[in-house]
Amino acid sequence: MTEETNPRVGSPLTRVRHAVGGLGDTLRDRWADAPKWQRWLVYALLLALAIAAPSPLIGSFMSPYTDWTSLLFNPIGIYILLAIGLNIVVGHAGLLDLGYVAFFAIGAYTLAYLGIKHGFTFWPTLILGMAFASISGVILGAPTLRLRGDYLAIVTLGFGEIIRVVILNVDKIGGARGFSGIPLWSNFFWVYFFCGITILISWRLVRSAVGRAFLAVREDQIAAEAMGVNTTRYKVKAFMIGSFLAGVAGGLFAHYMMYLNPTMFMFIKSFEVVAMVVLGGLGSISGSIIAAIILTFLPEGLRMAKEVLHTTKDPRMVIYSIMLIALMLTRPQGLLGRRELWQVLPKRKDKAPKDPTTEQ
Amino acid sequence: VLNDFIQQFGPSTVGGLVVGSIYALVALGYTMVYGVLRLINFAHSEIFMIGTFATLFVLSLIGLPGPLTGLALVGMIVLLLVAAMAVSGGAAVLLEIIAYRPLRKRNAPRLAALISAIGASVFLQEFFALVVIPDVFHKPGRIDTAVPRLVDRDTVFTIFGADIKTDQVVIFVAAVVMMVALDQLVARTRIGRGIRATAQDPEAAVLMGVNIDTIVRLTFLLGGAMAGVAGVLYAMEFENISYKIGFVLGIKAFTAAVLGGIGNIRGALVGGIALGLVENWGAIFFGSQWKDVIAFVILVIVLLFRPTGILGESLQQARA
C-alpha cells in the first residue's frame, strides 16, 4: 500500500483505483459537511425514487428493449433475494457454496409440483417449498460441512449439477420439456415484500448470538472451536438458513414465470449470485443488494452495445465478463468491503472512523 | 442386470480408461495451480477447450487427406501435441498475468480470485462462440464443430471380450507418457523443486531464493500444456468439439483432482482413471444419463471417509 501513496506512480490500474478513491473521498467529505435538512432531502429523494422506480416513465429510460416491471421482478428482485440469502452462507459464515441454485430449483419445483399435481394453494406450498429446500440444505450440509472450504466448493457445485440432472431425467416434473401450467400467484409486490422480510431476517440474524458465531467460524475456525462454538453445527445452520431463503425465491420465481425448465438452473446462475455477494463485499447486506442490482441490470443495459458496435452478434456476455474481471481487479474486497452503505458515509467529519478497508 | 454388466464390463472399462486419462490430464492443471496458489482455477476448463480448437486449427491448416498410419501418424500426433501445448500453455500464462497476478500482488481475498477466474472462463467461452469460431473456423451459428478423423479405428487386440481400438491405445499411451514426464519433471528437476518448495511454504521458498513469479508462471504453463494434450486427445477420440465442452469436463477433472488428493500429481492420475472407470461402470446399471450424478456421489462418499482424497495431499502438507 505504500507504493500507492503517490498517484502519479504505479500501473494504470493503481491510478484508476486512486481516481475512484479520490472521488469517494470528496463525496464522503461533502456528506459529512451537509446539514441535517440536506440529508433528509436526500433520504426523501431516495424514497421517492424507490416508489417511482416501477413506473413506465423510468422504464422507458432504463430498459427500452424489455418490459421494465418484469425486469424488476425476474432478474432484479429474484437476484436480490438470492444474494441476501447467499450472503449469509458465503458472507457471514464464510462457506463457499457454488451450488446455491440447486436450493432455488428445489423450492421452485416443489411449489410447482405440489400446486399442480396436488392442488395446494400458494401459502402452504410456499411453506413446504421452504421446508424442502432447507431440509435438502441440511442433508447436503451435515456430511460435507466437516470438510475444508475448497472441498465444500466442489461438493456444492456437484450437488447443483446433480439436482439439474435429476430434474432433467425425472419425467414426473416435466424432464427436459419443462414444467408448465403453474398458476400466476406471485407478483412485483410479493417479491419486494419478501425482499424486505429477508433483509430484516438477515439484519437481525447478524446481530444475534448465532450471527456472531457465524462470524467467528468465518474468521478463524480453530479459535471459534476453542471458544466453545460447535463449528459444524453453525455451518449447517448457516447452510439451512441460506437454502431456506433460496427456496422462497424459487417459489416466487415459479409462480411468476408459470413455466420451469432445467436450463433455468444452470451453474452460471449460482456463479452470478456468488459474484454479487463477493462484489458487494462479504457480509454486507446493502452491498449484496447494490451488486445484485448492478450485475442484473448490466446485461440489460448492455443491449445497446449491439447497436453501438454495429454487429449482428450479441456481445453482452463478453463485455459483462470483462467488466466483472475489471471490477474484481479494482476492488477485490468488494464495493463496500465488509460494511453497510451507511457505514461508508461517516456521521461527522471530526468523528470519521478510521477503517483500514477504505484505504485500498 | 448382472448379465448385462458382465457383457459390457470389458468395453466400458476400456472407455473408462480412455475418458479417465483425459480427465487426469486436465486434473493435473487444477491440482498444480491449487497446490501452488490454493486457487481453484475455474478458467482451466477453457484452456482445455482452447487446446481442442488449436488441434482443429492445425488439422485444417495442414489439410488432412484421411486417417493416417505408421510414422505419419506419430509425426502428426507429435505436431498436434506441440502446437496444442504451446497454444494452451500460452493461454494459461496470459490468463495468469491478466486475471490473477494483479490480485495476487495486492494480497486480495481468495474469493476475489475465484470470481475473476470464473469471469475469465465466461469470457473465453463467449469470445470463442462470438469471434473465434465464426471468424477463424467459419462455422457461424453452429454449436458443434466436427474434427476430421485422424486414426482408423481398427481393433488391435481383444481382451475379456473388449475390442481395443487403435485410437484408444494411442490416447492411453500418450496420456501416460505425458503424465510420467510431468511427474519426473516435478520430482527431479530444479524447476520441479521450486514448484514443490512454493507449494509447501511460499514465504520460506522466497527466502531460499525461489522466484515465486517465475514458479507460478511455470505452473500455469505446465498445467496449460497438459490441458492442451488433453485437448488433442479429446478431439481425436470424440471428433466433435464446441465452445461449451470445457464446463462439464472441467468439473469432472476437478472432481478427479479432489478424488485423488488435491495438489498431488500422481493423485490426479489415480483420481482421473478411477472417476472414468466408476462413471462408466455405474452407467451400465443406471443408464448413461446418470453418469454425472454417479461421479459426484462417488466424490462425496470418498471425501466422507478419506477427506484428503485417495492418495492424500502431497505437493504440500495439508493445511487447515
Side-chain angles (χ1 to χ4, degrees):
Chain A
M1 263 156 266
T2 39
E3 80 270 21
E4 286 178 30
T5 42
N6 185 354
R8 286 178 176 275
V9 289
S11 62
L13 204 67
T14 351
R15 286 198 207 176
V16 169
R17 217 180 290 138
H18 232 91
V20 173
L23 191 71
D25 284 342
T26 322
L27 260 174
R28 214 172 291 135
D29 287 350
R30 178 69 65 79
W31 180 256
D33 285 338
K36 211 165 195 177
W37 66 271
Q38 281 186 2
R39 294 191 188 193
W40 280 109
L41 200 67
V42 173
Y43 293 143
L45 275 174
L46 283 176
L47 186 69
L49 197 69
I51 292 168
S55 73
L57 185 73
I58 291 181
S60 65
F61 170 70
M62 293 294 277
S63 68
Y65 303 96
T66 24
D67 179 25
W68 174 238
T69 329
S70 62
L71 188 74
L72 273 179
F73 181 94
N74 175 17
I76 298 180
I78 293 286
Y79 273 108
I80 290 177
L81 267 176
L82 287 175
I84 303 168
L86 191 66
N87 188 31
I88 294 173
V89 182
V90 179
H92 292 137
L95 307 166
L96 182 53
D97 182 355
L98 291 179
Y100 198 56
V101 74
F103 304 112
F104 179 61
I106 290 172
Y109 269 93
T110 313
L111 259 84
Y113 183 76
L114 290 177
I116 293 178
K117 307 269 160 145
H118 297 283
F120 279 73
T121 51
F122 183 62
W123 293 104
T125 46
L126 190 67
I127 291 162
L128 279 171
M130 293 189 282
F132 258 72
S134 40
I135 288 168
S136 57
V138 173
I139 290 174
L140 176 70
T144 54
L145 285 169
R146 288 167 208 281
L147 302 171
R148 276 194 2 222
D150 298 293
Y151 290 83
L152 185 68
I154 188 70
V155 171
T156 48
L157 203 165
F159 180 69
E161 281 301 291
I162 287 177
I163 292 296
R164 198 176 61 82
V165 172
V166 168
I167 292 171
L168 201 65
N169 288 308
V170 174
D171 213 39
K172 245 186 177 168
I173 50 172
R177 287 191 318 278
F179 198 1
S180 54
I182 307 162
L184 178 69
W185 276 337
S186 65
N187 55 26
F188 184 78
F189 169 74
W190 283 118
V191 77
Y192 283 94
F193 174 77
F194 276 104
C195 274
I197 289 186
T198 321
I199 292 170
L200 208 68
I201 290 176
S202 98
W203 181 250
R204 293 309 306 155
L205 186 76
V206 179
R207 274 144 198 83
S208 69
V210 179
R212 281 199 300 278
F214 288 168
L215 290 189
V217 171
R218 176 184 78 182
E219 291 303 324
D220 192 332
Q221 204 171 316
I222 297 165
E225 198 103 41
M227 291 295 131
V229 177
N230 184 344
T231 50
T232 305
R233 197 163 138 204
Y234 277 102
K235 284 176 175 179
V236 175
K237 256 184 199 162
F239 226 64
M240 197 184 87
I241 296 167
S243 40
F244 164 85
L245 294 174
V248 178
L252 291 166
F253 178 76
H255 284 287
Y256 182 81
M257 300 301 280
M258 299 192 283
Y259 170 75
L260 295 173
N261 85 45
T263 55
M264 291 171 177
F265 307 102
M266 304 283 274
F267 163 69
I268 192 76
K269 206 154 201 167
S270 304
F271 157 61
E272 281 170 343
V273 184
V274 175
M276 283 161 198
V277 173
V278 176
L279 186 67
L282 290 176
S284 166
I285 301 171
S286 46
S288 300
I289 298 170
I290 292 170
I293 294 171
I294 293 176
L295 287 190
T296 41
F297 187 70
L298 203 59
E300 207 44 52
L302 286 173
R303 276 184 200 274
M304 56 196 72
K306 203 170 167 179
E307 283 163 25
V308 175
L309 295 174
H310 296 291
T311 57
T312 48
K313 301 160 195 158
D314 195 356
R316 281 192 293 161
M317 283 313 282
V318 174
I319 301 174
Y320 173 86
S321 50
I322 292 175
M323 287 179 85
L324 190 67
I325 297 173
L327 278 172
M328 234 44 254
L329 295 187
T330 42
R331 276 198 79 79
Q333 75 276 40
L335 292 172
L336 298 186
R338 283 181 174 175
R339 295 154 306 159
E340 299 296 346
L341 189 59
W342 47 93
Q343 289 170 316
V344 182
L345 307 164
K347 292 261 190 277
R348 283 228 307 276
K349 200 175 187 179
D350 50 345
K351 275 191 187 170
K354 276 222 155 68
D355 197 320
T357 42
T358 41
E359 297 308 310
Q360 309 225 353
Chain B
V1 175
L2 202 63
N3 206 22
D4 268 7
F5 184 74
I6 290 163
Q7 256 182 9
Q8 293 176 28
F9 183 77
S12 66
T13 305
V14 175
L17 285 174
V18 169
V19 179
S21 53
I22 294 176
Y23 287 162
L25 280 169
V26 181
L28 283 172
Y30 282 108
T31 232
M32 287 178 68
V33 169
Y34 188 90
V36 170
L37 286 183
R38 325 229 95 222
L39 162 77
I40 305 175
N41 178 13
F42 260 100
H44 190 63
S45 52
E46 267 45 69
I47 301 295
F48 158 78
M49 184 267 291
I50 290 173
T52 62
F53 276 97
T55 313
L56 180 63
F57 184 73
V58 172
L59 281 178
S60 53
L61 207 67
I62 295 174
L64 198 67
L68 302 171
T69 45
L71 214 59
L73 175 68
V74 175
M76 189 58 151
I77 288 175
V78 169
L79 176 69
L80 286 176
L81 286 180
V82 169
M85 281 167 82
V87 172
S88 288
V93 171
L94 215 62
L95 176 79
E96 195 266 325
I97 291 172
I98 294 169
Y100 303 141
R101 179 157 307 173
L103 289 171
R104 199 153 54 78
K105 292 282 174 216
R106 296 182 66 193
N107 282 327
R110 275 167 53 208
L111 265 179
L114 187 84
I115 300 296
S116 177
I118 304 181
S121 163
V122 173
F123 168 74
L124 286 172
Q125 273 188 37
E126 292 295 320
F127 183 69
F128 264 72
L130 216 66
V131 181
V132 177
I133 297 173
D135 293 351
V136 178
F137 295 98
H138 309 294
K139 301 248 168 60
R142 292 268 307 273
I143 290 179
D144 293 334
T145 311
V147 179
R149 177 156 292 196
L150 196 61
V151 197
D152 260 330
R153 302 196 166 176
D154 301 323
T155 304
V156 182
F157 55 89
T158 307
I159 185 165
F160 296 121
D163 296 336
I164 314 288
K165 302 264 175 31
T166 333
D167 57 319
Q168 291 165 333
V169 174
V170 169
I171 287 167
F172 193 69
V173 168
V176 170
V177 167
M178 293 314 295
M179 276 184 281
V180 169
L182 182 75
D183 185 55
Q184 290 304 306
L185 184 80
V186 173
R188 284 172 201 269
T189 63
R190 204 181 141 78
I191 297 165
R193 199 158 64 224
I195 292 175
R196 281 181 287 131
T198 313
Q200 260 178 27
D201 189 335
E203 278 151 28
V206 171
L207 292 178
M208 294 300 123
V210 175
N211 184 342
I212 294 244
D213 284 342
T214 316
I215 290 301
V216 169
R217 211 175 306 144
L218 264 169
T219 310
F220 271 87
L221 182 72
L222 288 174
M226 289 298 137
V229 174
V232 174
L233 302 182
Y234 183 95
M236 221 163 88
E237 174 69 15
F238 297 98
E239 299 183 330
N240 205 346
I241 60 179
S242 88
Y243 66 93
K244 285 183 180 170
I245 51 169
F247 177 64
V248 175
L249 201 130
I251 296 184
K252 294 277 185 64
F254 188 69
T255 307
V258 173
L259 204 59
I262 195 145
N264 185 335
I265 289 177
R266 287 175 196 168
L269 173 67
V270 172
I273 302 261
L275 192 69
L277 287 176
V278 170
E279 213 180 68
N280 272 21
W281 289 336
I284 303 174
F285 286 108
F286 304 104
S288 57
Q289 73 269 31
W290 296 105
K291 256 186 189 175
D292 299 358
V293 175
I294 296 164
F296 288 116
V297 171
I298 293 294
L299 174 75
V300 172
I301 293 172
V302 169
L303 285 183
L304 279 183
F305 293 104
R306 224 183 130 70
T308 51
I310 299 170
L311 292 193
E313 309 174 354
S314 92
L315 205 60
Q316 78 283 327
Q317 286 128 356
R319 273 180 277 173

